[in-house]
Amino acid sequence: SLALTFVADGVALVDRRGIVRLWNPAAEAITGLAQANVLGKPADTAVPGWPELVAVVPIASFGDESAAVETLPLDLGGRELWLSISGVAFGEGTVFAFRDVTAERNVEQLKSDFVSTISHELRTPLAAIYGAAVTLRRGDLQLGDDQRSQLLGVIASEADRLARIVNDILWASRVESGTLSVTIESCDPARLARDVVEAQSAHLPPGISLTLSLPEELPPVAADPDKIRQVLVNLLDNAVKYSPDG
């Protein structure tokens, strides 16, 4: 009993009638359900979402070498808690051991969403580059100089877009690992803003326009121009992507 008081994993004992006989301090801390409100009461009513959870928890028999562990959600009345949980059945009931993996689950979901988003972001410029290149190589099409120039422009602008996406990925990795370096120097904020707006204006979707309004004179600023430029690019990318037409 003393060991269960200090163990970091939540431990619950539910007897054969479904009554909670043990609810250690870790179980209380993980779920936010006080021992006084759980002990001696049916698990199905004392623990929100328990019936749905226990129906899919892997239960091993007492004496098995190892119990299977499953990551499952527990719906605590509007708050979803992800638990790494397993159960061991014995003569008096079932012992459940669990720990909170909600944070790890959220990180994995973010990684999955990131990969999905990046895959989509890379696919779009790659498709444009491929389409323009294939058109340029077709021997059955007689393209004028303007058409060839336009297609080459698509390849150049979309290649630049790809490079910026790759830079975003690299910078995100460096930020996460704490290795992102910053080089501060004197730079012209108006020129930075104009360069970013001009670059973004080269591949705007229909119905979207960019307008830049600046004071006549702006003093130099102490900043890392590459990082400032990237921040401005990201802001404009988001504005273009999520603004209504016009």
Side-chain angles (χ1 to χ4, degrees), residues 108-124 165 169 241:
E108 289 302 316
Q109 186 61 49
L110 285 173
K111 288 181 178 178
S112 177
D113 291 345
F114 175 76
V115 171
S116 176
T117 300
I118 289 300
S119 298
H120 174 74
E121 292 293 331
L122 292 175
R123 191 178 294 115
T124 302
I165 292 172
I169 298 171
K241 187 178 297 182

Side-chain angles (χ1 to χ4, degrees), residues 81-232:
L81 189 68
W82 282 86
L83 302 177
S84 177
I85 185 169
S86 64
V88 176
F90 67 110
E92 300 299 321
T94 304
V95 175
F96 296 92
F98 54 88
R99 61 187 180 88
D100 183 3
V101 293
T102 306
E104 292 91 332
R105 172 81 181 187
N106 289 341
V107 169
E108 289 302 316
Q109 186 61 49
L110 285 173
K111 288 181 178 178
S112 177
D113 291 345
F114 175 76
V115 171
S116 176
T117 300
I118 289 300
S119 298
H120 174 74
E121 292 293 331
L122 292 175
R123 191 178 294 115
T124 302
L126 281 172
I129 291 171
Y130 179 77
V134 168
T135 302
L136 285 170
R137 294 186 62 186
R138 287 182 59 177
D140 59 329
L141 287 180
Q142 296 298 321
L143 299 174
D145 290 342
D146 290 344
Q147 291 174 308
R148 293 179 64 85
S149 178
Q150 183 179 11
L151 290 170
L152 288 170
V154 168
I155 293 173
S157 64
E158 293 301 320
D160 178 66
R161 183 178 172 188
L162 276 175
R164 288 190 285 107
I165 292 172
V166 171
N167 281 336
D168 282 347
I169 298 171
L170 291 174
W171 283 13
S173 174
R174 289 168 184 166
V175 168
E176 186 174 356
S177 64
T179 59
L180 182 67
S181 61
V182 177
T183 304
I184 302 298
E185 61 185 69
S186 178
C187 51
D188 182 350
R191 180 179 177 183
L192 281 173
R194 289 193 189 97
D195 288 348
V196 170
V197 169
E198 288 176 4
Q200 292 295 103
S201 297
H203 49 78
L204 287 175
I208 297 291
S209 62
L210 294 178
T211 303
L212 179 64
S213 177
L214 292 172
E216 291 186 4
E217 293 186 9
L218 284 175
V221 296
D224 184 322
D226 288 337
K227 307 302 186 294
I228 293 294
R229 186 178 291 106
Q230 190 64 38
V231 169
L232 293 176

Side-chain angles (χ1 to χ4, degrees), residues 60-69 86-88:
S61 299
F62 182 72
D64 287 353
E65 291 186 3
S66 61
V69 178
S86 64
V88 176

